[in-house]
Amino acid sequence: GIQVEQSPPDLILQEGANSTLRCNFSDSVNNLQWFHQNPWGQLINLFYIPSGTKQNGRLSATTVATERYSLLYISSSQTTDSGVYFCAVGWSNNDMRFGAGTRLTVKP
Amino acid sequence: KAGVTQTPRYLIKTRGQQVTLSCSPISGHRSVSWYQQTPGQGLQFLFEYFSETQRNKGNFPGRFSGRQFSNSRSEMNVSTLELGDSALYLCASSSRTKGTQYFGPGTRLLVL
């Protein structure tokens, strides 16, 4: 099956810093989503981005489907950005494969 | 619109018992997917239902089953519980079979 690799596995930032999270996948997909899981386990959808670039406030994402990777940018990080960031890829919502996640800690 | 709701939120069972978890999707959403999250295996797809039909199932034993009702609410059942079934069970709803998924808060199951 498709392999999903996220990097870095852990990231520690000072409040206000910027960061880039990466998601590599081993096969072509047409369904890619980024999620943030807060410390209570709630998964929040950040982007549905099978290709192209999207922005939502301090967050933006770019997927280059032909090169099989996606990037999530977080600017001016805040302590509330802490948590685990997952990317999930597939062809449909019934075959989504999640990466292992990037654990982000933002220190005040 | 109300978000995805899951009941119960916490559950403690013993080995050999069975359990039923419930998920109510966002109003109007017809696709419901279930996932298991454990520290060792991460987030794994269990199954997806769309308009009361199971469209796909992940690599889980037959002890894991589910169904979807005409109002799109879904239930998943785990029979003959094993210690390794302890996990956070998440459901997600979507308006389409491919698109943004919205997750519920999850059910934390502990098997003793």
Side-chain angles (χ1 to χ4, degrees):
Chain A
I2 192 167
Q3 304 298 313
V4 185
E5 193 174 291
Q6 290 188 243
S7 60
D10 293 279
L11 187 58
I12 301 175
L13 300 173
Q14 285 298 131
E15 202 167 25
N18 303 328
S19 60
T20 301
L21 282 57
R22 188 176 180 103
C23 172
N24 292 336
F25 41 96
S26 62
D27 205 347
S28 58
V29 299
N30 69 352
N31 186 356
L32 189 147
Q33 302 182 43
W34 282 97
F35 298 91
H36 173 226
Q37 188 169 41
N38 65 23
W40 296 272
Q42 176 74 55
L43 272 165
I44 304 296
N45 191 294
L46 299 175
F47 294 103
Y48 169 72
I49 186 166
S51 65
T53 297
K54 289 186 177 180
Q55 179 157 6
N56 184 3
R58 297 181 295 104
L59 273 58
S60 64
T62 295
T63 296
V64 184
T66 53
E67 296 188 22
R68 300 179 185 170
Y69 73 89
S70 183
L71 301 174
L72 177 69
Y73 305 95
I74 304 174
S75 64
S76 304
S77 58
Q78 302 175 358
T79 56
T80 51
D81 295 332
S82 297
V84 183
Y85 289 81
F86 292 100
C87 76
V89 306
W91 281 91
S92 175
N93 284 352
N94 65 18
D95 66 356
M96 297 295 282
R97 186 68 62 93
F98 278 74
T102 291
R103 181 174 299 277
L104 174 65
T105 302
V106 181
K107 296 189 171 182
Chain B
K1 274 186 181 178
V4 180
T5 59
Q6 291 186 244
T7 57
R9 294 292 311 279
Y10 304 92
L11 207 49
I12 300 176
K13 292 285 187 179
T14 56
R15 277 182 300 173
Q17 288 186 310
Q18 75 165 20
V19 67
T20 299
L21 311 181
S22 180
C23 172
S24 293
I26 292 171
S27 177
H29 285 191
R30 294 160 64 191
S31 168
V32 175
S33 300
W34 288 90
Y35 295 85
Q36 181 196 64
Q37 186 176 26
T38 61
Q41 300 298 317
L43 272 155
Q44 293 183 283
F45 169 77
L46 275 161
F47 27 66
E48 188 227 5
Y49 287 87
F50 185 84
S51 294
E52 301 180 65
T53 300
Q54 184 183 95
R55 298 199 318 125
N56 197 15
K57 183 174 181 180
N59 188 24
F60 281 84
R63 301 185 296 107
F64 291 81
S65 63
R67 58 178 175 169
Q68 186 179 35
F69 301 95
S70 59
N71 62 358
S72 294
R73 188 178 71 85
S74 177
E75 289 181 346
M76 67 163 281
N77 183 276
V78 187
S79 63
T80 318
L81 284 166
E82 301 177 359
L83 296 179
D85 297 333
S86 294
L88 177 65
Y89 290 88
L90 294 156
C91 83
S93 79
S94 177
S95 59
R96 302 179 292 138
T97 58
K98 180 169 73 80
T100 301
Q101 289 186 293
Y102 299 89
F103 279 81
T107 294
R108 291 191 183 274
L109 171 64
L110 177 61
V111 182
L112 302 175

